[in-house]
Amino acid sequence: MAAGDIIPPDELAPAWARSLSMVLLRNKTLLERLDELRNRLFRIVAAVAVAVVIAWIFYTPILSLISIPLRHIPGSGQIVSRGRLAFTTPTEAFTVRLRVVGYAATLLASPVIVWELWRFLAGGSRSRASRLGLVVVGSSLILFLMGGAAAFAFVYPALRIFLYLGGPHIVLVPRASQYVSFLLLLIVAFGLTFEYPLFLLALVLAGVINSAVLRRRRRMAYFVLLVVSVVITPTVDPVTPLALALPLALLYEATIIVARALKR
């Protein structure tokens, strides 16, 4: 380049910034992409609003479902055994309702949220990217539900262990806000943990790793999964983390198979 030549502004940007710009713009102008983002965000907000109405209507059955692990625990007290939760402040019932509705609405609207974000990143393509997007949306929902179901199953033995450690003279009368927060956060933690195969497959599609790397790092991955299982399980016994680590390890093996198929 001769002295005095003007360097285009896009060439001054780092390589990663130019690559990111190409991914986000997708051969469209910035205004076109911003208009597309606005439309997709509008559809996401509309889906969340509809989900909030549905969750608000079905709040009582949802709360009854959440309280199931408490009903058959020894020492839970007559209030809890009848499927009821205790409130200690006048506003606690309303805040619990908002919390339950918020989590339930987010779960109901999550397919639309993931789909719209995927279509935006894929540039609205109707080709292979759209078909892959359907797989991503379906897989993410199934994996999250698997994690949530695992968390729900672990709550009952966890509460039994805690009460056993507390002694025979302990009667459980949990505050609704504390119990609901404990269970919902546990479900979210388990659900997001079960989503890790999608993160690994995204790295495979991006060319960062491949199935051979996943196979070589199998032992390290198993150790990390076991540590994560110990951290997120609310029990002190060694059986529960192992019970969680086993399906996570099976998901890792399934990820290797899918990663190999993607690169054929």
Side-chain angles (χ1 to χ4, degrees):
M1 182 177 293
D5 290 349
I6 299 177
I7 303 176
D10 56 344
E11 295 185 6
L12 294 175
W16 65 267
R18 294 198 298 270
S19 300
L20 180 61
S21 176
M22 293 177 60
V23 170
L24 292 178
L25 292 180
R26 294 288 182 178
N27 299 323
K28 294 182 180 180
T29 65
L30 179 60
L31 291 179
E32 289 175 336
R33 288 295 277 169
L34 289 176
D35 184 64
E36 180 185 357
L37 178 61
R38 182 193 62 185
N39 293 334
R40 296 195 182 282
L41 289 177
F42 177 79
R43 286 193 282 269
I44 289 175
V45 172
V48 172
V50 173
V52 166
V53 173
I54 296 174
W56 188 276
I57 293 174
F58 291 96
Y59 164 75
T60 301
I62 295 174
L63 189 62
S64 178
L65 177 66
I66 290 176
S67 64
I68 287 178
L70 292 172
R71 297 181 186 178
H72 307 291
I73 295 178
S76 60
Q78 294 183 358
I79 295 178
V80 178
S81 64
R82 291 197 299 266
R84 299 179 181 272
L85 296 173
F87 299 98
T88 58
T89 61
T91 60
E92 187 174 357
F94 180 67
T95 56
V96 167
R97 186 176 191 126
L98 291 180
R99 194 168 300 160
V100 171
V101 168
Y103 277 92
T106 302
L107 178 61
L108 289 174
S110 60
V112 177
I113 296 173
V114 175
W115 172 252
E116 292 296 339
L117 292 178
W118 175 269
R119 289 298 300 273
F120 176 75
L121 294 176
S125 172
R126 297 183 181 274
S127 59
R128 181 172 178 269
S130 292
R131 294 193 296 272
L132 184 59
L134 291 175
V135 175
V136 170
V137 172
S139 300
S140 64
L141 182 60
I142 292 173
L143 290 173
F144 189 89
L145 291 177
M146 289 173 56
F152 201 81
F154 286 146
V155 168
Y156 178 73
L159 292 176
R160 285 185 64 93
I161 291 174
F162 289 150
L163 286 175
Y164 174 78
L165 295 176
H169 302 292
I170 300 296
V171 176
L172 176 64
V173 185
R175 286 184 55 187
S177 58
Q178 293 177 345
Y179 172 74
V180 168
S181 297
F182 166 76
L183 180 58
L184 293 181
L185 289 177
L186 193 65
I187 291 175
V188 170
F190 273 58
L192 294 180
T193 301
F194 272 64
E195 299 275 1
Y196 85 89
L198 295 180
F199 173 73
L200 293 179
L201 291 177
L203 295 180
V204 171
L205 292 175
V208 178
I209 59 176
N210 53 37
S211 59
V213 174
L214 294 175
R215 287 195 301 271
R216 288 198 304 269
R217 303 295 183 182
R218 181 182 277 116
R219 290 185 179 180
M220 181 181 297
Y222 285 174
F223 176 75
V224 172
L225 293 176
L226 182 59
V227 171
V228 171
S229 300
V230 172
V231 171
I232 68 175
T233 48
T235 61
V236 293
D237 66 291
V239 177
T240 303
L242 290 175
L244 175 61
L246 179 59
L248 292 179
L250 293 177
L251 287 176
Y252 187 84
E253 295 300 325
T255 303
I256 294 177
I257 297 175
V258 175
R260 187 187 305 124
L262 289 174
K263 290 304 180 180
R264 286 179 179 176

